[in-house]
Amino acid sequence: MNVKERVRDSTIGRSIFRIPERVTERDRAAGHWASFLMHLYPVKVRRVELTFKYSAFLGVASLVLFGSLLVSGIFLMFFYVPSPANAYGNIQAIQTEVPFGQYLRNVHRWSAHLMVLAVAAHMARVFYRGAYKSPKEFNWVIGVLLLVVTLLLSFTGYLLPWDQLAYWAVTVGTAMASYVPIVGDQVRDLLLGGPTVGSATLLRFYVLHVAVLPVALVALVTAHLWRWRKDSMLTTDEIGDPDEPVAKLQPGLPMTEPANGEPIVLDGKRVLGVVPGKPAAGDRKELSDEDPVMVWPHLLVRHAVAALAVLFVVLLIALTFDAPLKEIANPTDTPNPEKAPWYFAALQELLAHFHPLVAGVLVPGAIVMGLMALPYMDRNPRFGPEFRRIARITFTIFMVIWIILTLIGFAFRGPSWSWVWPWEEWHGEL
Amino acid sequence: MSDALDRREFLATGWKVGAGLLAAAGLWTSWDYLWPRLGAGFAAKVKTVAPDAVPANTVLEIPEARAYLTKVNDEVVALSEICTHLGCKVPFCDSSGQFECPCHGTVFNRAGDHLAGPAPRGMDRYKVEIVDGVVEVDTSEKTSGPAPGTETINEPPLGPPCGDSHA
């Protein structure tokens, strides 16, 4: 008996680790029920969900990036005071005096940008797979809310360095809110804590950034994962019969693989564990994409690898590129050009062509409401891509337009929002 | 069952109404608690220069008031330097004699009339008073800028624009 086993078998060990040794499938399933973190995972998923092409592990990537943001953010909080007199100097000190300060700030900055990308890509992947369809409609809605909260987190964090980039991006971003009919001005004043971006704004954004929005995000993510767990085996067949669930968990049957539906009988007794060798009841059938597999260890090990890959990318970017810090915020000098954060670049581009009520309120409002209404408007019960041509083409067109607008606003606009080729003069800001 | 409200129904409705009232009260107090206490700082009266020192062919920037002073038809006006589009600071371009917003390229003439670009109206104005021979700008009293198309003055650009806009 080695040390690990002795610890686990001691009175104290058994009171902490209630998960049995994962010998049989029932033990593995019990591991989910007995562990707080693991119980957010389903016990089994369809085999296809193990593949990269199914999800590209974008959901895991989003979650890992959020974890990276939490850790690096907490470190940054030790050296940051949210007031106009201190904030900018604090960031300078973090970058120049605090050991690994620049690195941690880089991790935080790039994780934030990557998380916006990962969440948006995750949403697109879920759309193309049709995974928002019944019974997962509401989990899609929670997902849309998570995208909104992610953007708000990134936007509130944008102000905190209190440099020119931060000050004017937030001035423009919050000015959009004032075009909301009737309550617009009040909402903006409440956000800013005054008529213009000032010390009250910095404090308000800080509180939203480190307390209100992270708690909201954690609450939503928990619900999101829980529903994923609950609905994990309920997706209907890709071939398109909506009334025929592909695989049902059958409680009461031994959970051995392959699940061929027949209780396994050996010597006249039902077998509850995994028997080495050939199953007693019939030959092993070839596993199909839709067959259930145990999450522990098959999915978990893939998630662990995906998480490591994401962290490795963040580490590489943070070691290579430094987060930008411009001159200290100056309310009497607007930089030219003035750019919103890149994820609002498409909106800023629209703002140059349409009335702010249209570009700053109606368009983003319609996008969020449209995304939330999508699973309820799409009455097509089929999942297969060949049955969803119109949905896929429409979604792709919208996405391409949005990406083009973002690229134009981000890289092709120069002083006074004039057209500038990015290879002649670079004006993109991250 | 009688039609009259029985005890069970009364309690079942009562606690929901109570919870609703509590939520409404919470929302109201939160809103009031977080509502910014305006009036301090920026929104105040700013003493500037003598009326004779206000130029009639260019503008004079008053940073404390976030405003420009200029003479329009022999009258001193104070133009808010905050763009009516999205709140950027609008600089005055000496070479063209016009205001050019760096954010989305809105152009205003010297009197703050909207000439081109996406802003919904001309530049806002602050109330001015001559107190003891000095122009006083009251930044708490703002009137919205003129609708696009209004021509308070008719001054063509003096020269090339600064922002190199729409090149």
Side-chain angles (χ1 to χ4, degrees), chain A residues 92-151:
Chain A
Q92 281 181 321
I94 287 173
Q95 294 190 166
T96 54
E97 290 167 24
V98 182
F100 296 105
Q102 174 82 62
Y103 171 70
L104 274 166
R105 179 162 184 248
N106 294 350
V107 167
H108 199 72
R109 186 83 170 195
W110 304 134
S111 295
H113 287 330
L114 286 175
M115 185 176 165
V116 174
L117 274 182
V119 171
H122 175 51
M123 173 174 264
R125 193 70 204 89
V126 167
F127 176 86
Y128 284 121
R129 191 164 84 215
Y132 55 85
K133 298 193 179 207
S134 177
K136 299 181 179 174
E137 302 98 326
F138 194 68
N139 212 16
W140 167 270
V141 175
I142 294 177
V144 177
L145 291 175
L146 278 166
L147 175 68
V148 173
V149 174
T150 304
L151 288 173

Side-chain angles (χ1 to χ4, degrees), chain A residues 175 179 193 204 331-332 334 348, chain B residues 34 36 66 84-86 89 102 104:
Chain A
Y179 284 99
R204 274 165 197 233
T332 64
T334 304
Q348 205 183 2
Chain B
L34 293 173
R66 294 207 185 175
T84 51
H85 186 223
L86 287 171
K89 189 214 152 167
H104 295 94

Side-chain angles (χ1 to χ4, degrees), chain A residues 137-408:
Chain A
E137 302 98 326
F138 194 68
N139 212 16
W140 167 270
V141 175
I142 294 177
V144 177
L145 291 175
L146 278 166
L147 175 68
V148 173
V149 174
T150 304
L151 288 173
L152 288 177
L153 265 167
S154 192
F155 184 63
T156 48
Y158 214 81
L159 180 66
L160 304 185
W162 202 249
D163 60 351
Q164 280 288 72
L165 192 59
Y167 186 92
W168 291 102
V170 170
T171 296
V172 170
T174 48
M176 282 188 223
S178 62
Y179 284 99
V180 176
I182 305 165
V183 293
D185 280 328
Q186 287 178 312
V187 168
R188 193 207 50 198
D189 286 354
L190 198 69
L191 262 178
L192 295 187
T196 54
V197 177
S199 57
T201 318
L202 185 54
L203 188 57
R204 274 165 197 233
F205 272 46
Y206 179 74
V207 173
L208 287 173
H209 187 74
V210 305
V212 180
L213 292 169
V215 169
L217 194 96
V218 168
L220 286 168
V221 163
T222 315
H224 199 58
L225 291 176
W226 176 247
R227 278 183 176 259
W228 169 62
R229 183 216 149 118
K230 287 295 179 188
D231 297 341
S232 64
M233 295 302 292
L234 294 175
T235 308
T236 47
D237 202 324
E238 292 233 333
I239 298 153
D241 185 354
D243 298 324
E244 189 65 39
V246 287
K248 282 184 218 151
L249 277 180
Q250 298 177 0
L253 285 182
M255 290 192 280
T256 46
E257 39 185 335
N260 54 13
E262 291 291 313
I264 296 164
V265 180
L266 193 66
D267 294 337
K269 290 175 185 140
R270 281 173 63 173
V271 178
L272 294 176
V274 176
V275 180
K278 221 173 167 188
D283 288 325
R284 231 173 220 287
K285 75 167 186 179
E286 278 298 308
L287 287 174
S288 85
D289 273 358
E290 299 299 320
D291 275 324
V293 289
M294 296 299 292
V295 162
W296 197 100
H298 303 294
L299 187 62
L300 276 180
V301 74
R302 284 162 175 82
H303 279 187
V305 172
L308 281 177
V310 170
L311 287 177
F312 184 67
V313 169
V314 170
L315 180 130
L316 269 188
I317 299 177
L319 286 177
T320 318
F321 302 101
D322 280 347
L325 187 66
K326 303 268 162 163
E327 307 81 49
I328 191 166
N330 179 1
T332 64
D333 177 27
T334 304
N336 193 357
E338 192 293 313
K339 298 222 175 177
W342 65 268
Y343 38 83
F344 291 146
L347 283 182
Q348 205 183 2
E349 179 60 28
L350 287 177
L351 277 164
H353 305 288
F354 298 98
H355 189 277
L357 179 63
V358 177
V361 179
L362 294 181
V363 169
I367 291 174
V368 172
M369 297 313 287
L371 281 172
M372 289 214 258
L374 173 76
Y376 303 101
M377 288 174 357
D378 181 356
R379 307 310 302 168
N380 177 2
R382 305 228 154 154
F383 283 76
E386 66 272 28
F387 303 110
R388 299 181 58 230
R389 203 154 279 146
I390 297 172
R392 283 163 58 231
I393 290 173
T394 317
F395 187 82
T396 309
I397 289 174
F398 271 109
M399 214 166 61
V400 168
I401 291 176
W402 199 251
I403 291 172
I404 290 175
L405 284 174
T406 303
L407 274 177
I408 292 176

